[in-house]
Amino acid sequence: AECAADGDRLARMDTAQRLAFLLPAIKAVAAAHDVGVLHKDLKPANVLVAQRGEDWQLRLTDFGSSRLLQPERLAELCITRLGMTVADAASESSSGTPLYLAPELLAGQPATTRSDVYALGVMLYQWLAGDLRRPLAPGWERDIPDPLLRDDIAQATDTDPDRRMGSADELAARLQRLPERRKERAEREAALHAAARLQESLDRTRARRPWIAATIGVLVLGLAASGYSWWRSEEQRHLAEQQATRARASMDFFDKALLTLSTGRSGYSH
């Protein structure tokens, strides 16, 4: 909408304001789809804008229209003039209509609700980038800092219609739930970060296991050697005690024998 861009109005809006500005147009397309109507020529030029105090009033127009009755009156009211249709695009080089054509339409396939969704995705990108003439070209992601909005635009403008977002109603619902989705994403990222830190800790533990095993092995060998030495010393001590016991027993035996012999001789002499 030229009126929104005029005087840097769009540039002064933050992301939330821009989404609130465009959301009624997306809902209007969803309502049209619900009754079986395709727009087939969605673009900013077909979103009429009128300011009502501090608010904006949007109207989606040109459902197949190709004529204007009072263009001067529309300009006086600061309402965007209708753009050229696709069939007449060649007659006006400044027409941006081809920017919003889904790839399947360029290939000659019939229009579907998903081709309208493609045009809405391009419009959403332009609205958030703050430039209603900017094409959705390689590198467009750099203009959209919010990863969730990048994902919304990417899904709405997928070149494969079978992989594209299914409906305008789904796009509107995703944009309305953006605050909740941001919170859910933050919670998922926090959980993933915690899981990554735990995995790093486990990896460090596994990396230290060979050193731990080697240390334990050295300790076990040391204890075994000490135990063996203690056992050997105990065995030797035990043998020494046995030998000492045998020696004492021998000495006692000889003492008793000598005592007996001495006593016997004394009795014989009497």
mmCIF file of all heavy atoms in Angstrom, residues 12-45:
data_model
loop_
_atom_site.group_PDB
_atom_site.id
_atom_site.type_symbol
_atom_site.label_atom_id
_atom_site.label_comp_id
_atom_site.label_asym_id
_atom_site.label_seq_id
_atom_site.Cartn_x
_atom_site.Cartn_y
_atom_site.Cartn_z
ATOM 1 N N ARG A 12 8.417 3.532 10.371
ATOM 2 C CA ARG A 12 8.306 3.855 11.796
ATOM 3 C C ARG A 12 7.605 2.754 12.590
ATOM 4 O O ARG A 12 7.569 2.811 13.822
ATOM 5 C CB ARG A 12 7.547 5.179 11.969
ATOM 6 C CG ARG A 12 8.312 6.400 11.461
ATOM 7 C CD ARG A 12 7.692 7.686 12.016
ATOM 8 N NE ARG A 12 6.305 7.837 11.626
ATOM 9 C CZ ARG A 12 5.885 8.482 10.540
ATOM 10 N NH1 ARG A 12 6.787 9.012 9.705
ATOM 11 N NH2 ARG A 12 4.597 8.604 10.262
ATOM 12 N N MET A 13 7.017 1.791 11.916
ATOM 13 C CA MET A 13 6.315 0.709 12.607
ATOM 14 C C MET A 13 7.309 -0.366 13.048
ATOM 15 O O MET A 13 8.258 -0.688 12.328
ATOM 16 C CB MET A 13 5.278 0.063 11.683
ATOM 17 C CG MET A 13 4.146 0.960 11.255
ATOM 18 S SD MET A 13 2.997 0.043 10.168
ATOM 19 C CE MET A 13 1.820 1.340 9.768
ATOM 20 N N ASP A 14 7.077 -0.928 14.227
ATOM 21 C CA ASP A 14 7.880 -2.075 14.634
ATOM 22 C C ASP A 14 7.256 -3.340 14.056
ATOM 23 O O ASP A 14 6.231 -3.288 13.358
ATOM 24 C CB ASP A 14 8.000 -2.154 16.154
ATOM 25 C CG ASP A 14 6.653 -2.259 16.864
ATOM 26 O OD1 ASP A 14 5.670 -2.708 16.230
ATOM 27 O OD2 ASP A 14 6.569 -1.877 18.046
ATOM 28 N N THR A 15 7.860 -4.469 14.342
ATOM 29 C CA THR A 15 7.400 -5.733 13.756
ATOM 30 C C THR A 15 5.964 -6.046 14.144
ATOM 31 O O THR A 15 5.146 -6.457 13.300
ATOM 32 C CB THR A 15 8.322 -6.885 14.193
ATOM 33 O OG1 THR A 15 9.638 -6.644 13.706
ATOM 34 C CG2 THR A 15 7.827 -8.218 13.636
ATOM 35 N N ALA A 16 5.629 -5.867 15.416
ATOM 36 C CA ALA A 16 4.275 -6.164 15.871
ATOM 37 C C ALA A 16 3.245 -5.284 15.170
ATOM 38 O O ALA A 16 2.163 -5.753 14.778
ATOM 39 C CB ALA A 16 4.178 -5.987 17.385
ATOM 40 N N GLN A 17 3.571 -4.022 14.974
ATOM 41 C CA GLN A 17 2.649 -3.103 14.296
ATOM 42 C C GLN A 17 2.483 -3.477 12.821
ATOM 43 O O GLN A 17 1.386 -3.401 12.271
ATOM 44 C CB GLN A 17 3.149 -1.673 14.436
ATOM 45 C CG GLN A 17 3.050 -1.131 15.860
ATOM 46 C CD GLN A 17 3.742 0.216 16.011
ATOM 47 O OE1 GLN A 17 4.754 0.489 15.364
ATOM 48 N NE2 GLN A 17 3.182 1.066 16.868
ATOM 49 N N ARG A 18 3.559 -3.883 12.203
ATOM 50 C CA ARG A 18 3.475 -4.272 10.794
ATOM 51 C C ARG A 18 2.631 -5.527 10.617
ATOM 52 O O ARG A 18 1.854 -5.637 9.667
ATOM 53 C CB ARG A 18 4.881 -4.494 10.224
ATOM 54 C CG ARG A 18 5.706 -3.221 10.167
ATOM 55 C CD ARG A 18 7.076 -3.449 9.564
ATOM 56 N NE ARG A 18 7.912 -2.267 9.725
ATOM 57 C CZ ARG A 18 9.093 -2.098 9.170
ATOM 58 N NH1 ARG A 18 9.604 -3.049 8.395
ATOM 59 N NH2 ARG A 18 9.787 -1.001 9.373
ATOM 60 N N LEU A 19 2.795 -6.469 11.530
ATOM 61 C CA LEU A 19 1.978 -7.684 11.453
ATOM 62 C C LEU A 19 0.507 -7.351 11.683
ATOM 63 O O LEU A 19 -0.372 -7.881 10.989
ATOM 64 C CB LEU A 19 2.465 -8.705 12.486
ATOM 65 C CG LEU A 19 3.839 -9.336 12.210
ATOM 66 C CD1 LEU A 19 4.232 -10.234 13.368
ATOM 67 C CD2 LEU A 19 3.814 -10.124 10.910
ATOM 68 N N ALA A 20 0.240 -6.516 12.675
ATOM 69 C CA ALA A 20 -1.149 -6.121 12.930
ATOM 70 C C ALA A 20 -1.736 -5.367 11.751
ATOM 71 O O ALA A 20 -2.942 -5.454 11.485
ATOM 72 C CB ALA A 20 -1.207 -5.256 14.193
ATOM 73 N N PHE A 21 -0.887 -4.664 11.037
ATOM 74 C CA PHE A 21 -1.330 -3.903 9.868
ATOM 75 C C PHE A 21 -1.735 -4.836 8.724
ATOM 76 O O PHE A 21 -2.767 -4.642 8.070
ATOM 77 C CB PHE A 21 -0.181 -2.984 9.424
ATOM 78 C CG PHE A 21 -0.560 -1.998 8.356
ATOM 79 C CD1 PHE A 21 -1.028 -0.742 8.698
ATOM 80 C CD2 PHE A 21 -0.436 -2.320 7.017
ATOM 81 C CE1 PHE A 21 -1.369 0.181 7.713
ATOM 82 C CE2 PHE A 21 -0.774 -1.405 6.036
ATOM 83 C CZ PHE A 21 -1.243 -0.154 6.379
ATOM 84 N N LEU A 22 -0.929 -5.887 8.480
ATOM 85 C CA LEU A 22 -1.164 -6.770 7.342
ATOM 86 C C LEU A 22 -2.146 -7.897 7.643
ATOM 87 O O LEU A 22 -2.795 -8.424 6.732
ATOM 88 C CB LEU A 22 0.170 -7.363 6.874
ATOM 89 C CG LEU A 22 0.135 -8.239 5.624
ATOM 90 C CD1 LEU A 22 -0.358 -7.446 4.412
ATOM 91 C CD2 LEU A 22 1.502 -8.841 5.344
ATOM 92 N N LEU A 23 -2.285 -8.254 8.904
ATOM 93 C CA LEU A 23 -3.092 -9.418 9.265
ATOM 94 C C LEU A 23 -4.529 -9.352 8.758
ATOM 95 O O LEU A 23 -5.057 -10.374 8.290
ATOM 96 C CB LEU A 23 -3.070 -9.603 10.789
ATOM 97 C CG LEU A 23 -3.565 -10.944 11.324
ATOM 98 C CD1 LEU A 23 -2.790 -12.097 10.714
ATOM 99 C CD2 LEU A 23 -3.439 -10.972 12.850
ATOM 100 N N PRO A 24 -5.217 -8.222 8.805
ATOM 101 C CA PRO A 24 -6.587 -8.189 8.263
ATOM 102 C C PRO A 24 -6.656 -8.569 6.781
ATOM 103 O O PRO A 24 -7.628 -9.212 6.349
ATOM 104 C CB PRO A 24 -7.020 -6.738 8.492
ATOM 105 C CG PRO A 24 -6.202 -6.281 9.645
ATOM 106 C CD PRO A 24 -4.879 -6.937 9.475
ATOM 107 N N ALA A 25 -5.663 -8.177 5.998
ATOM 108 C CA ALA A 25 -5.659 -8.546 4.582
ATOM 109 C C ALA A 25 -5.505 -10.052 4.415
ATOM 110 O O ALA A 25 -6.164 -10.667 3.559
ATOM 111 C CB ALA A 25 -4.540 -7.810 3.853
ATOM 112 N N ILE A 26 -4.650 -10.658 5.226
ATOM 113 C CA ILE A 26 -4.472 -12.116 5.159
ATOM 114 C C ILE A 26 -5.759 -12.823 5.561
ATOM 115 O O ILE A 26 -6.173 -13.804 4.930
ATOM 116 C CB ILE A 26 -3.306 -12.542 6.067
ATOM 117 C CG1 ILE A 26 -2.006 -11.897 5.587
ATOM 118 C CG2 ILE A 26 -3.165 -14.056 6.095
ATOM 119 C CD1 ILE A 26 -0.812 -12.175 6.485
ATOM 120 N N LYS A 27 -6.431 -12.310 6.591
ATOM 121 C CA LYS A 27 -7.703 -12.911 7.009
ATOM 122 C C LYS A 27 -8.774 -12.739 5.935
ATOM 123 O O LYS A 27 -9.624 -13.621 5.755
ATOM 124 C CB LYS A 27 -8.166 -12.279 8.324
ATOM 125 C CG LYS A 27 -7.315 -12.666 9.523
ATOM 126 C CD LYS A 27 -7.871 -12.048 10.798
ATOM 127 C CE LYS A 27 -7.112 -12.480 12.022
ATOM 128 N NZ LYS A 27 -7.664 -11.888 13.271
ATOM 129 N N ALA A 28 -8.754 -11.603 5.224
ATOM 130 C CA ALA A 28 -9.724 -11.400 4.145
ATOM 131 C C ALA A 28 -9.525 -12.425 3.039
ATOM 132 O O ALA A 28 -10.495 -12.955 2.479
ATOM 133 C CB ALA A 28 -9.593 -9.982 3.585
ATOM 134 N N VAL A 29 -8.269 -12.721 2.707
ATOM 135 C CA VAL A 29 -7.991 -13.751 1.699
ATOM 136 C C VAL A 29 -8.462 -15.110 2.199
ATOM 137 O O VAL A 29 -9.060 -15.895 1.444
ATOM 138 C CB VAL A 29 -6.492 -13.792 1.371
ATOM 139 C CG1 VAL A 29 -6.174 -14.941 0.411
ATOM 140 C CG2 VAL A 29 -6.044 -12.469 0.744
ATOM 141 N N ALA A 30 -8.224 -15.393 3.480
ATOM 142 C CA ALA A 30 -8.680 -16.662 4.053
ATOM 143 C C ALA A 30 -10.199 -16.777 3.978
ATOM 144 O O ALA A 30 -10.744 -17.849 3.654
ATOM 145 C CB ALA A 30 -8.207 -16.785 5.498
ATOM 146 N N ALA A 31 -10.905 -15.684 4.261
ATOM 147 C CA ALA A 31 -12.374 -15.708 4.177
ATOM 148 C C ALA A 31 -12.834 -15.926 2.743
ATOM 149 O O ALA A 31 -13.820 -16.648 2.503
ATOM 150 C CB ALA A 31 -12.932 -14.391 4.719
ATOM 151 N N ALA A 32 -12.139 -15.313 1.788
ATOM 152 C CA ALA A 32 -12.493 -15.521 0.383
ATOM 153 C C ALA A 32 -12.285 -16.974 -0.020
ATOM 154 O O ALA A 32 -13.115 -17.570 -0.718
ATOM 155 C CB ALA A 32 -11.678 -14.593 -0.513
ATOM 156 N N HIS A 33 -11.193 -17.546 0.439
ATOM 157 C CA HIS A 33 -10.932 -18.956 0.129
ATOM 158 C C HIS A 33 -12.000 -19.861 0.733
ATOM 159 O O HIS A 33 -12.364 -20.892 0.138
ATOM 160 C CB HIS A 33 -9.551 -19.362 0.648
ATOM 161 C CG HIS A 33 -8.413 -18.779 -0.141
ATOM 162 N ND1 HIS A 33 -7.094 -18.939 0.232
ATOM 163 C CD2 HIS A 33 -8.401 -18.047 -1.290
ATOM 164 C CE1 HIS A 33 -6.318 -18.332 -0.650
ATOM 165 N NE2 HIS A 33 -7.087 -17.772 -1.574
ATOM 166 N N ASP A 34 -12.482 -19.484 1.907
ATOM 167 C CA ASP A 34 -13.492 -20.309 2.572
ATOM 168 C C ASP A 34 -14.773 -20.428 1.748
ATOM 169 O O ASP A 34 -15.510 -21.416 1.869
ATOM 170 C CB ASP A 34 -13.816 -19.740 3.954
ATOM 171 C CG ASP A 34 -12.702 -20.009 4.956
ATOM 172 O OD1 ASP A 34 -11.868 -20.898 4.693
ATOM 173 O OD2 ASP A 34 -12.661 -19.320 6.003
ATOM 174 N N VAL A 35 -15.057 -19.427 0.933
ATOM 175 C CA VAL A 35 -16.264 -19.466 0.102
ATOM 176 C C VAL A 35 -15.934 -19.832 -1.346
ATOM 177 O O VAL A 35 -16.747 -19.656 -2.244
ATOM 178 C CB VAL A 35 -17.026 -18.123 0.154
ATOM 179 C CG1 VAL A 35 -17.530 -17.867 1.560
ATOM 180 C CG2 VAL A 35 -16.145 -16.969 -0.328
ATOM 181 N N GLY A 36 -14.689 -20.297 -1.559
ATOM 182 C CA GLY A 36 -14.318 -20.780 -2.882
ATOM 183 C C GLY A 36 -13.890 -19.714 -3.866
ATOM 184 O O GLY A 36 -13.981 -19.937 -5.085
ATOM 185 N N VAL A 37 -13.437 -18.584 -3.397
ATOM 186 C CA VAL A 37 -13.025 -17.490 -4.279
ATOM 187 C C VAL A 37 -11.514 -17.334 -4.220
ATOM 188 O O VAL A 37 -10.939 -17.229 -3.142
ATOM 189 C CB VAL A 37 -13.696 -16.167 -3.873
ATOM 190 C CG1 VAL A 37 -13.184 -15.020 -4.741
ATOM 191 C CG2 VAL A 37 -15.213 -16.283 -3.981
ATOM 192 N N LEU A 38 -10.872 -17.316 -5.389
ATOM 193 C CA LEU A 38 -9.450 -17.045 -5.488
ATOM 194 C C LEU A 38 -9.253 -15.601 -5.912
ATOM 195 O O LEU A 38 -9.973 -15.102 -6.770
ATOM 196 C CB LEU A 38 -8.788 -17.971 -6.524
ATOM 197 C CG LEU A 38 -8.881 -19.475 -6.268
ATOM 198 C CD1 LEU A 38 -8.202 -20.229 -7.411
ATOM 199 C CD2 LEU A 38 -8.257 -19.832 -4.944
ATOM 200 N N HIS A 39 -8.249 -14.979 -5.348
ATOM 201 C CA HIS A 39 -7.983 -13.605 -5.745
ATOM 202 C C HIS A 39 -7.166 -13.550 -7.026
ATOM 203 O O HIS A 39 -7.499 -12.826 -7.964
ATOM 204 C CB HIS A 39 -7.250 -12.856 -4.622
ATOM 205 C CG HIS A 39 -7.197 -11.389 -4.838
ATOM 206 N ND1 HIS A 39 -6.368 -10.797 -5.780
ATOM 207 C CD2 HIS A 39 -7.868 -10.369 -4.250
ATOM 208 C CE1 HIS A 39 -6.541 -9.497 -5.764
ATOM 209 N NE2 HIS A 39 -7.452 -9.200 -4.833
ATOM 210 N N LYS A 40 -6.067 -14.302 -7.061
ATOM 211 C CA LYS A 40 -5.214 -14.479 -8.228
ATOM 212 C C LYS A 40 -4.382 -13.257 -8.593
ATOM 213 O O LYS A 40 -3.596 -13.320 -9.535
ATOM 214 C CB LYS A 40 -6.019 -14.917 -9.456
ATOM 215 C CG LYS A 40 -6.761 -16.239 -9.262
ATOM 216 C CD LYS A 40 -7.315 -16.776 -10.561
ATOM 217 C CE LYS A 40 -8.361 -15.856 -11.142
ATOM 218 N NZ LYS A 40 -8.968 -16.424 -12.381
ATOM 219 N N ASP A 41 -4.521 -12.152 -7.886
ATOM 220 C CA ASP A 41 -3.704 -10.977 -8.185
ATOM 221 C C ASP A 41 -3.399 -10.210 -6.901
ATOM 222 O O ASP A 41 -3.535 -9.002 -6.823
ATOM 223 C CB ASP A 41 -4.417 -10.070 -9.194
ATOM 224 C CG ASP A 41 -3.486 -8.979 -9.739
ATOM 225 O OD1 ASP A 41 -2.248 -9.177 -9.670
ATOM 226 O OD2 ASP A 41 -3.982 -7.948 -10.194
ATOM 227 N N LEU A 42 -2.933 -10.951 -5.897
ATOM 228 C CA LEU A 42 -2.614 -10.324 -4.616
ATOM 229 C C LEU A 42 -1.296 -9.568 -4.720
ATOM 230 O O LEU A 42 -0.301 -10.077 -5.238
ATOM 231 C CB LEU A 42 -2.514 -11.387 -3.523
ATOM 232 C CG LEU A 42 -3.837 -12.026 -3.107
ATOM 233 C CD1 LEU A 42 -3.584 -13.253 -2.256
ATOM 234 C CD2 LEU A 42 -4.701 -11.019 -2.365
ATOM 235 N N LYS A 43 -1.297 -8.353 -4.202
ATOM 236 C CA LYS A 43 -0.118 -7.498 -4.179
ATOM 237 C C LYS A 43 -0.450 -6.287 -3.320
ATOM 238 O O LYS A 43 -1.629 -5.994 -3.056
ATOM 239 C CB LYS A 43 0.270 -7.064 -5.589
ATOM 240 C CG LYS A 43 -0.869 -6.400 -6.372
ATOM 241 C CD LYS A 43 -0.452 -6.190 -7.810
ATOM 242 C CE LYS A 43 -1.619 -5.609 -8.629
ATOM 243 N NZ LYS A 43 -1.271 -5.461 -10.045
ATOM 244 N N PRO A 44 0.525 -5.559 -2.828
ATOM 245 C CA PRO A 44 0.242 -4.388 -1.982
ATOM 246 C C PRO A 44 -0.666 -3.368 -2.654
ATOM 247 O O PRO A 44 -1.451 -2.696 -1.970
ATOM 248 C CB PRO A 44 1.638 -3.812 -1.719
ATOM 249 C CG PRO A 44 2.551 -4.973 -1.828
ATOM 250 C CD PRO A 44 1.972 -5.839 -2.912
ATOM 251 N N ALA A 45 -0.570 -3.251 -3.977
ATOM 252 C CA ALA A 45 -1.401 -2.264 -4.672
ATOM 253 C C ALA A 45 -2.879 -2.577 -4.577
ATOM 254 O O ALA A 45 -3.714 -1.694 -4.786
ATOM 255 C CB ALA A 45 -0.986 -2.176 -6.141
#
